[in-house]
Amino acid sequence: MAIDLDSALLFLKYSKRNRGMMEKEWEVTLKRVSLMFRKDSLRTCVRLALGLSTGLAMGHSGLVLAEEGDDADALEEVVVTGSRIKRTLNSASQEVITITAEDMRITGDISVADALRTSNLNSFGSFRESSGNGAQSNATFNLRGLGASRALVLVNGKRITGSPSLGGGGSVNLNMIPFSAVDRIELIADGASAVYGSDAVTGVINIIMRKGYDGFRLNARYGDRDRDGGVEESLSLQIGASSDRGSVSVAIEYDARDEVYDGDRSFTAARKSDSDGDGYITGYAETEGISFYGYTLYPNPIYTGAAFDPTDETTWQVHPGGNCSEENGFQGPMKSDLVFGPDTGFYCGYAYALVSANRASVHRLNAYVNAEYELTDDIDATVDILFANNESFGRYAPPAAPGPTIPGDPRNTVGATGGYFRWTDIGTRDNVVNDDLINIDIGLDGDLSDDISWEVYATFSEYRSMSVGRSYLSYAGLEYNIAYDISDFDTFVANLKATTLDDNKQKMTKYFGGIQWDLFEMGGGTAQTYWAMEYFEVDYAALVDAQSEAGLIGGSAGNSAQGYRDVTAFSAEAIFPVTDWLEIDAAVRFDDYSDFGNATSPRLGAIAQIPGVEGLTVKASWGEGFRAPNLSDMYGLTSFSASGATDNWGCQLAGQDPCPSRQFDTYIGSNPDLEAEESETFSFGVEYAFFDNWKASVNYFDVTLSNAIENISAQDQLNVDFNSGGNNPAVQRNSNGLVIEISAGFQNGGTEFNYNGVDYQLAGMLETSFGEFRLAMNATQYMTYEYELTYGGGDLADAIGTLGTPEWKSNASVSYTLDKFFANLAVDYIGESGDRVSDEKYDSWHMLNASMGYDLDTLGTFKIGANNLTDESPLLNQFGSMADENQYPITGRVVYVDYTLEF
């Protein structure tokens, strides 16, 4: 009886607030009656809500598919991503795309990063675990291809701290989210700074964890990679219990993936060939995975300056030394034309791809705890705790660094004093990164009256990343060996070894309070508003070992950075149901930052159920947003670099033609004067529901980005200087016009960029006498993606249809069930593209994931599957190498078995 009364109460409450049809007395009366029958109702309601949400969500489309005869007015009011006002699911003017837990099982995903990486909204690929990188344990989501730091990642609608290894906390590491505890992921690919503040330039990714779980669920999975024998394995446990006043649920998971080595893939392995048939191997033109940092003597002391003769070493400016045999990874000799200039000689290269790992391994141990308790009839308390540990392993080849020759080295047959060497005796550079995240949310919410509700919460979020690198080269040790004439080989090598350390930390403390109340009656119901205030502090520190920071470690470099900011924000939202078919919503937010200033972000939206056309909905939204500069961009230390570039303005002053490339003293660092990026977004969409349980939608998006924060190189600054007639203050010259030094690093650009395209969605269900089919399709057609041909020149080009920015990206899935048997098939598609400078064309690409299984009731559910069923390689260029490292997976086929026991 409690279920029926609660359902009736929800119906009346919705009708009262949004249709103005029921009187307050009816609602109060039913509430009192319902309380009489509330014993153990919480458990029942939780189960009912879970069952309802599962039935409503279908595929990646996120479209609510109403069963025939359902009354939409009976839907419970919820908080939808993009707004804090409690509302029904069909009243959001921005497109909300949902990926459910079931969707992720269909596509064979085992992490949040996996689930988002194949999304059509991840238009041009995203960062994944990259061996040897300072952020090798991280994975991100690149919404609309505008960068991971321009999309805000939330957990349960709340901001968590970013990874200090990703641009000073500018992005969230998705590998720190417990995958097994995820209920669904809601995405808004539209500006949302008016509600959430900074970073929501292109949209929001809201990862919603499972709450109120009542039961026991055990899942185990084991996968085997075909191409190298590496494995993927995971184990997760969920338990939960509830009473009539509260619930507690706990999820714990462990999963691991082995690293992928370059040598185990033909497209990343080291290789060389004399493709032009001249009898020589030209480095970098006819090689892959081979570096000139092998044994390269420069300058060659016996060079006479005579015309180049490949048979006369006295005409070589660059010398490969003696005994350049193909042993222990060394390769050559190879012509040095593309490294040191035409006809400069030969070097002895090193095939680093014989030993390096391309993808880092990942070992994750994560946990999520949710507790909810009804303190009184009008006040509820909630605690969410997320623990995450992520350990990754990456391998680089032995350190490569310039330096002096080793006294007595038999390979130094010409008596050179220095060169570019691979210090193989030290061993491979192995990096181990440990990331730890703890995120605690404590909140209260309740009702002051039937028309006024409130919420407050506090967040403590801390991320710690520790990276240890072994077998790097110590320049101090090398100089010690030379100065003290160390002749014992083992001692000599031991003195060369160095261990690097990066200690990165970011902490966020946040306090939030909000209140919602009814305003007045309108033609379509009751207008509602929500007002909020929040305050948060962010502490950031990235500490690099002193030797690396001083440039005394070969094969490693870095600078420490520390920063702090606090933010005070005020926001307001309102919904105006103008008529039964038209609703207008508005929002505005003011953010005041302690370090760079303030920003105001407005948004206006509308949603219309077109009269006379059943099932047709039109949505439109406009807004402005911003992205605050990352702390590392503002407060990192400055480093020196002898950067190679071409000074066209200096050459013009001197009348020098052609203009040569040379090295300039360049100081690369942070910029405390950075301002926020600014954006303007617009979207317009049409949804159509048909055949009872099918929906289709088309959504146009447009993003304009200005004042973009860019990492500017020495060449960029020289280009600006040339275009401005020598008036770039970042380039300092002497009285003769020669460059003294260049200031590079992070700056706000002066060019405005535009991006636009169309999203398509289709989802539905087909019931037959031989089983049930569920289908979902999502596609994005990118139409404009502007970029600047020359920094500071204002000359724009459109990248769409070129390599890295294909016009089309889509995914589709079909699931089939017949009694206790089920089967799933999912396909990811990336459209064709062309090279930006040549006529080379790249074909479209697709990948299939498939699985099937059987439900054995109390014995559990078994599933077998294969990701990348047809073992597709990534897109390759004309040389057989990866054309784009971010968009295409390199893992190959993974065959797995999966077992789930739940009761």
Side-chain angles (χ1 to χ4, degrees):
M1 184 171 183
I3 298 176
D4 294 335
L5 289 170
D6 285 348
S7 299
L9 177 60
L10 290 173
F11 172 76
L12 293 179
K13 184 177 181 181
Y14 174 76
S15 300
K16 181 262 178 190
R17 288 194 174 189
N18 298 278
R19 296 292 185 266
M21 297 174 58
M22 298 297 177
E23 297 293 334
K24 184 181 297 184
E25 289 78 4
W26 282 103
E27 183 178 343
V28 174
T29 301
L30 279 174
K31 182 180 289 187
R32 290 172 177 171
V33 174
S34 178
L35 289 173
M36 297 172 58
F37 298 94
R38 189 168 283 184
K39 183 178 180 181
D40 204 31
S41 63
L42 179 59
R43 178 192 300 252
T44 307
C45 289
V46 167
R47 289 174 172 170
L48 178 63
L50 289 175
L52 179 62
S53 64
T54 302
L56 290 174
M58 176 173 293
H60 284 71
S61 66
L63 303 176
V64 178
L65 307 180
E67 299 292 338
E68 184 177 3
D70 284 353
D71 189 339
D73 289 349
L75 292 175
E76 181 181 1
E77 290 180 327
V78 297
V79 176
V80 179
T81 303
S83 172
R84 300 188 190 277
I85 298 178
K86 291 184 179 180
R87 61 177 76 185
T88 57
L89 289 174
N90 62 348
S91 62
S93 61
Q94 293 177 298
E95 190 77 9
V96 179
I97 297 175
T98 302
I99 305 174
T100 68
E102 179 60 28
D103 297 330
M104 295 180 244
R105 285 191 286 270
I106 289 174
T107 54
D109 302 321
I110 61 173
S111 72
V112 172
D114 283 347
L116 291 170
R117 187 174 290 123
T118 57
S119 167
N120 57 298
L121 300 180
N122 190 33
S123 305
F124 308 134
S126 55
F127 181 82
R128 65 183 77 207
E129 304 83 8
S130 179
S131 172
N133 187 290
Q136 71 178 22
S137 60
N138 289 247
T140 63
F141 179 62
N142 185 10
L143 183 62
R144 299 289 191 213
L146 298 185
S149 61
R150 295 190 177 111
L152 178 62
V153 176
L154 306 173
V155 175
N156 293 329
K158 300 178 178 66
R159 184 186 292 262
I160 68 172
T161 192
S163 168
S165 302
L166 293 171
S171 303
V172 170
N173 180 7
L174 297 175
N175 281 333
M176 307 306 283
I177 309 299
F179 178 71
S180 62
V182 173
D183 179 69
R184 65 189 186 278
I185 303 173
E186 293 181 351
L187 301 100
I188 291 184
D190 195 2
S193 288
V195 175
Y196 300 109
S198 176
D199 306 337
V201 170
T202 56
V204 173
I205 303 99
N206 188 10
I207 303 166
I208 300 173
M209 314 301 283
R210 186 177 290 113
K211 297 182 178 182
Y213 182 73
D214 189 358
F216 173 92
R217 185 177 188 271
L218 175 69
N219 176 261
R221 168 171 163 153
Y222 179 86
D224 184 77
R225 298 199 301 242
D226 281 2
R227 296 197 175 197
D228 58 9
V231 301
E232 300 177 357
E233 53 191 7
S234 64
L235 179 67
S236 66
L237 173 67
Q238 289 179 273
I239 55 175
S242 61
S243 70
D244 58 345
R245 299 293 297 271
S247 66
V248 176
S249 54
V250 179
I252 303 173
E253 71 175 9
Y254 167 80
D255 68 71
R257 293 184 183 180
D258 288 341
E259 63 271 19
V260 178
Y261 286 94
D262 285 316
D264 290 331
R265 303 289 187 272
S266 61
F267 43 83
T268 55
R271 54 195 184 278
K272 59 185 178 181
S273 64
D274 181 15
S275 57
D276 60 8
D278 66 353
Y280 302 99
I281 302 293
T282 301
Y284 296 92
E286 299 175 316
T287 66
E288 291 287 342
I290 301 174
S291 168
F292 76 93
Y293 277 96
Y295 195 84
T296 302
L297 299 172
Y298 178 82
N300 178 14
I302 65 172
Y303 172 61
T304 62
F308 174 72
D309 181 351
T311 64
D312 184 358
E313 63 181 9
T314 65
T315 66
W316 305 346
Q317 300 175 52
V318 182
H319 198 285
N323 301 318
C324 183
S325 58
E326 299 187 5
E327 295 180 359
N328 300 321
F330 288 95
Q331 306 283 322
M334 299 178 177
K335 291 188 70 177
S336 58
D337 297 44
L338 295 184
V339 183
F340 296 91
D343 296 335
T344 50
F346 296 85
Y347 63 77
C348 189
Y350 182 80
Y352 60 85
L354 289 176
V355 296
S356 58
N358 188 289
R359 294 285 183 260
S361 68
V362 177
H363 295 259
R364 304 190 309 140
L365 180 61
N366 301 334
Y368 174 73
V369 179
N370 167 255
E372 298 177 321
Y373 190 73
E374 185 180 288
L375 297 175
T376 70
D377 290 340
D378 296 318
I379 301 177
D380 295 325
T382 302
V383 177
D384 291 303
I385 304 175
L386 189 157
F387 299 96
N389 172 262
N390 184 5
E391 181 178 296
S392 70
F393 169 81
R395 171 168 290 173
Y396 270 0
T405 55
I406 298 176
D409 191 327
R411 293 174 294 181
N412 187 6
T413 56
V414 294
T417 58
Y420 300 87
F421 307 120
R422 184 70 56 168
W423 304 87
T424 56
D425 293 321
I426 297 176
T428 56
R429 288 169 290 166
D430 292 347
N431 289 65
V432 176
V433 179
N434 270 284
D435 297 87
D436 292 284
L437 170 68
I438 180 170
N439 190 86
I440 302 174
D441 288 306
I442 302 175
L444 297 173
D445 65 87
D447 298 320
L448 294 178
S449 68
D450 295 322
D451 299 330
I452 303 175
S453 60
W454 57 271
E455 64 173 323
V456 295
Y457 69 82
T459 299
F460 173 81
S461 188
E462 182 171 330
Y463 193 122
R464 185 77 177 264
S465 177
M466 187 80 70
S467 175
V468 177
R470 301 190 183 280
S471 298
Y472 283 76
L473 172 66
S474 169
Y475 283 132
L478 178 60
E479 291 296 333
Y480 177 89
N481 285 338
I482 295 173
Y484 288 92
D485 194 24
I486 303 298
S487 58
D488 180 75
F489 179 80
D490 291 337
T491 303
F492 193 101
V493 171
N495 291 342
L496 293 179
K497 291 184 178 181
T499 298
T500 64
L501 177 66
D502 290 356
D503 185 6
N504 304 326
K505 182 170 67 174
Q506 181 151 307
K507 181 172 67 174
M508 183 190 74
T509 305
K510 177 180 175 181
Y511 304 97
F512 178 93
I515 185 169
Q516 175 178 333
W517 70 92
D518 295 348
L519 291 173
F520 45 79
E521 295 299 321
M522 301 186 71
T526 305
Q528 298 170 283
T529 187
Y530 185 100
W531 293 62
M533 182 182 76
E534 65 180 272
Y535 171 84
F536 63 91
E537 300 175 336
V538 180
D539 280 292
Y540 163 73
L543 305 180
V544 180
D545 67 272
Q547 296 296 296
S548 293
E549 197 167 54
L552 296 178
I553 303 296
S556 176
N559 292 305
S560 297
Q562 290 182 284
Y564 165 87
R565 67 167 43 131
D566 59 69
V567 183
T568 302
F570 303 90
S571 63
E573 300 178 60
I575 295 178
F576 303 100
V578 181
T579 68
D580 288 339
W581 58 271
L582 175 63
E583 179 181 276
I584 295 176
D585 60 270
V588 64
R589 176 176 168 125
F590 174 80
D591 287 85
D592 185 32
Y593 279 70
S594 62
D595 52 355
F596 80 86
N598 55 62
T600 301
S601 307
R603 193 185 78 80
L604 184 66
I607 179 171
Q609 309 283 343
I610 302 302
V613 185
E614 185 178 356
L616 184 63
T617 303
V618 177
K619 300 181 178 184
S621 175
W622 168 88
E624 293 180 345
F626 76 101
R627 181 175 79 92
N630 293 334
L631 289 170
S632 61
D633 299 349
M634 298 184 71
Y635 304 119
L637 296 182
T638 299
S639 62
F640 171 81
S641 173
S643 301
T646 302
D647 180 16
N648 292 299
W649 178 248
C651 289
Q652 183 171 308
L653 292 176
Q656 187 176 9
D657 187 25
C659 189
S661 175
R662 66 181 184 85
Q663 291 183 322
F664 298 91
D665 289 350
T666 305
Y667 292 89
I668 304 171
S670 56
N671 183 355
D673 297 322
L674 284 175
E675 299 175 352
E677 294 183 342
E678 298 172 349
S679 66
E680 182 177 6
T681 59
F682 172 76
S683 66
F684 179 83
V686 178
E687 295 181 359
Y688 182 59
F690 57 99
F691 296 156
D692 295 332
N693 52 10
W694 283 80
K695 277 198 176 182
S697 72
V698 179
N699 185 71
Y700 169 81
F701 67 89
D702 184 276
V703 181
T704 300
L705 185 66
S706 58
N707 216 32
I709 298 172
E710 302 179 60
N711 194 355
I712 309 306
S713 68
Q715 185 63 68
D716 290 333
Q717 296 288 27
L718 289 171
N719 291 339
V720 172
D721 203 48
F722 177 77
N723 293 329
S724 63
N727 290 316
N728 183 4
V731 178
Q732 298 183 28
R733 300 178 182 273
N734 62 20
S735 58
N736 296 321
L738 297 178
V739 174
I740 300 173
E741 67 178 55
I742 300 173
S743 297
F746 294 97
Q747 288 192 6
N748 291 103
T751 304
E752 188 175 89
F753 302 95
N754 181 252
Y755 316 90
N756 59 66
V758 181
D759 297 323
Y760 305 90
Q761 299 182 54
L762 175 67
M765 180 180 66
L766 181 64
E767 292 182 339
T768 70
S769 58
F770 49 86
E772 178 182 280
F773 296 85
R774 290 180 177 264
L775 301 94
M777 184 280 291
N778 299 267
T780 293
Q781 181 186 13
Y782 229 123
M783 297 187 296
T784 303
Y785 188 95
E786 291 183 340
Y787 69 98
E788 200 169 21
L789 290 172
T790 304
Y791 173 75
D795 44 347
L796 298 177
D798 186 4
I800 294 303
T802 62
L803 184 63
T805 52
E807 179 182 3
W808 288 95
K809 185 169 184 180
S810 65
N811 53 68
S813 65
V814 179
S815 62
Y816 169 73
T817 57
L818 178 62
D819 295 328
K820 298 179 180 181
F821 173 81
F822 60 90
N824 306 305
L825 180 66
V827 57
D828 299 322
Y829 172 85
I830 299 175
E832 61 184 13
S833 58
D835 195 276
R836 292 188 184 183
V837 294
S838 70
D839 295 330
E840 185 175 359
K841 300 296 183 182
Y842 296 94
D843 293 334
S844 59
W845 184 91
H846 70 276
M847 182 178 72
L848 295 175
N849 297 333
S851 63
M852 64 176 62
Y854 196 82
D855 186 351
L856 296 174
D857 294 326
T858 58
L859 296 179
T861 301
F862 288 90
K863 181 171 70 173
I864 60 172
N867 289 342
N868 195 352
L869 180 64
T870 56
D871 198 22
E872 298 291 330
S873 293
L875 186 69
L876 304 179
N877 61 23
Q878 58 184 329
F879 304 108
S881 302
M882 287 190 296
D884 187 326
E885 294 188 14
N886 292 325
Q887 293 198 66
Y888 306 91
I890 70 170
T891 307
R893 180 168 47 233
V894 180
V895 179
Y896 65 88
V897 294
D898 186 287
Y899 172 73
T900 301
L901 177 65
E902 184 169 14
F903 54 83

